[in-house]
């Protein structure tokens, strides 16, 4: 299936860039059709503009009611004929309409080996700090389907990263992020080939 990917991003957009590049190199049978960010100054917005992908700023600032934002997002996704939503460092919870219209069609990446170190409040450096403090010898990244609970949907793929004695949350974050840039394109490639069923 040819993927028409809608990416939602709040931060730097390095995962988004890895996906754009993989589509450009024909690794993924698909294209990034649209990018949505809740943060107009996110690096992801600049990167999307540089790649000449249409980008929308949708947030509770311009859509104060939660239904309004949900509807606006749905409209943009429909307009660009998106058939799969990819959350790449998106820091907001999706609205119920988008979740139900795109059931089993929304992916998220989490910077740890779910189900460990997931759930509400577990994001960014907090995850890596908790992993280091636990004394675990490995961490990694997980791509999973999104439902209405945090980090709870079916796990689609994982990559393991070894933790060395001198790692700290920052060095671990960098190691994990580098692997995320491989895991997202590989997973989307497998989905486009039907090797991972949604
Ligand atoms: C990644 O660590 C991802 O796991 C988390 O947010 C970060 C996004 O980084 N959900 P970037 O915006 O893709 O550079």
């Amino acid at each position: 299936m040819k993927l028409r990917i809608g990416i939602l991003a709040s931060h730097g957009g390095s995962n988004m860039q890895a996906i754009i590049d993989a589509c450009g190199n024909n690794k993924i049978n698909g294209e990034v059709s649209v990018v949505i960010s809740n943060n107009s100054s996110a690096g992801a917005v600049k990167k999307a503009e540089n790649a000449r992908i249409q980008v929308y700023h949708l947030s509770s600032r311009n859509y104060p009611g939660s239904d309004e934002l949900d509807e606006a997002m749905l409209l943009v996704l429909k307009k660009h004929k998106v058939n799969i939503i990819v959350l790449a460092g998106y820091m907001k919870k999706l609205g119920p309409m988008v979740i139900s219209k795109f059931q089993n069609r929304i992916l998220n990446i989490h910077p740890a080996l779910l189900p460990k170190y997931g759930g509400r409040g577990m994001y960014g450096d907090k995850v890596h700090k908790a992993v280091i403090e636990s004394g675990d010898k490995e961490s990694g990244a997980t791509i999973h389907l999104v439902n209405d609970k945090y980090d709870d949907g079916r796990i689609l793929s994982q990559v393991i990263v070894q933790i060395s004695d001198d790692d700290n949350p920052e060095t671990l974050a960098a190691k994990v992020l580098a692997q995320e840039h491989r895991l997202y394109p590989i997973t989307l490639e497998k989905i486009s080939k039907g090797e991972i069923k949604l």
Side-chain angles (χ1 to χ4, degrees):
M1 180 185 66
K2 179 150 196 231
L3 303 182
R4 291 190 56 85
I5 303 167
I7 295 189
L8 272 61
S10 306
H11 293 303
S14 64
N15 276 293
M16 181 197 75
Q17 189 68 57
I19 295 167
I20 293 172
D21 293 346
C23 290
N25 299 332
N26 294 321
K27 293 239 166 63
I28 299 169
N29 174 23
E31 63 182 10
V32 178
S33 308
V34 68
V35 171
I36 297 173
S37 183
N38 61 309
N39 173 7
S40 56
S41 55
V45 170
K46 253 273 80 43
K47 289 190 173 81
E49 285 169 356
N50 289 342
R52 305 205 182 289
I53 295 167
Q54 195 158 356
V55 43
Y56 292 79
H57 172 225
L58 302 183
S59 76
S60 50
R61 270 206 204 156
N62 39 26
Y63 296 92
S66 61
D67 281 358
E68 267 182 277
L69 181 58
D70 203 4
E71 272 163 21
M73 196 174 281
L74 208 50
L75 223 59
V76 167
L77 295 167
K78 276 190 181 158
K79 181 174 176 205
H80 292 273
K81 299 187 171 55
V82 167
N83 57 17
I84 186 162
I85 299 175
V86 167
L87 307 187
Y90 186 64
M91 297 307 288
K92 295 282 168 188
K93 214 168 176 197
L94 291 174
M97 281 182 265
V98 169
I99 291 181
S100 82
K101 287 270 186 246
F102 283 85
Q103 212 183 3
N104 293 334
R105 298 251 145 213
I106 310 173
L107 272 57
N108 182 43
I109 192 157
H110 185 78
L113 295 173
L114 290 176
K116 289 174 92 176
Y117 308 107
R120 197 187 176 91
M122 268 299 194
Y123 57 86
D125 289 347
K126 295 186 187 186
V127 175
H128 303 297
K129 200 163 171 281
V131 172
I132 294 282
E133 279 169 6
S134 75
D136 282 3
K137 293 288 164 239
E138 55 183 34
S139 187
T142 303
I143 292 177
H144 64 95
L145 289 175
V146 171
N147 59 23
D148 58 356
K149 298 190 201 80
Y150 283 103
D151 304 323
D152 177 73
R154 174 160 64 94
I155 290 174
L156 301 178
S157 59
Q158 288 187 311
V159 59
I160 292 174
V161 167
Q162 301 300 327
I163 302 173
S164 42
D165 291 342
D166 56 358
D167 267 326
N168 57 47
E170 289 73 36
T171 59
L172 179 59
K175 279 186 185 176
V176 170
L177 189 61
Q179 292 307 314
E180 290 180 34
H181 298 159
R182 296 181 55 236
L183 189 66
Y184 239 150
I186 289 171
T187 305
L188 287 163
E189 181 190 348
K190 287 186 176 168
I191 291 169
S192 70
K193 287 182 173 162
E195 292 169 15
I196 293 179
K197 303 250 183 287
L198 298 186

